[in-house]
Amino acid sequence: MALPKDPYILLGYVNMKLRDSYSSLDELCEEEGVSKDEIVSALASAGFSYDEKRNAFV
């Protein structure tokens, strides 16, 4: 999967996938073949962090 480059579009995309299809960020990354570090870093640069209880970036 090619990740969106814009952090706000990436935020919406990842949160939608987490909400609709995956029970954790680790599961999403494993199933989609994407780098967890890349997602976390890109979203952290825009001020977002992963909340495990919500299973979403906030």
Side-chain angles (χ1 to χ4, degrees), residues 1-27:
M1 151 172 78
L3 296 174
K5 299 298 180 198
D6 181 280
Y8 297 99
I9 294 173
L10 178 61
L11 173 70
Y13 180 79
V14 169
N15 277 345
M16 178 194 67
K17 288 283 197 179
L18 289 169
R19 181 190 68 230
D20 294 347
S21 303
Y22 299 104
S23 62
S24 71
L25 180 58
D26 289 327
E27 182 184 3

Side-chain angles (χ1 to χ4, degrees), residues 2-3 13 15 18 24 26 31 34 37 39 43-45 47 49 52:
L3 296 174
Y13 180 79
N15 277 345
L18 289 169
S24 71
D26 289 327
E31 292 292 320
V34 297
D37 291 337
I39 292 172
L43 293 176
S45 72
S49 62
E52 288 185 38

Side-chain angles (χ1 to χ4, degrees), residues 40-55:
V40 170
S41 177
L43 293 176
S45 72
F48 300 104
S49 62
Y50 180 64
D51 182 330
E52 288 185 38
K53 288 185 180 185
R54 292 183 184 179
N55 191 34

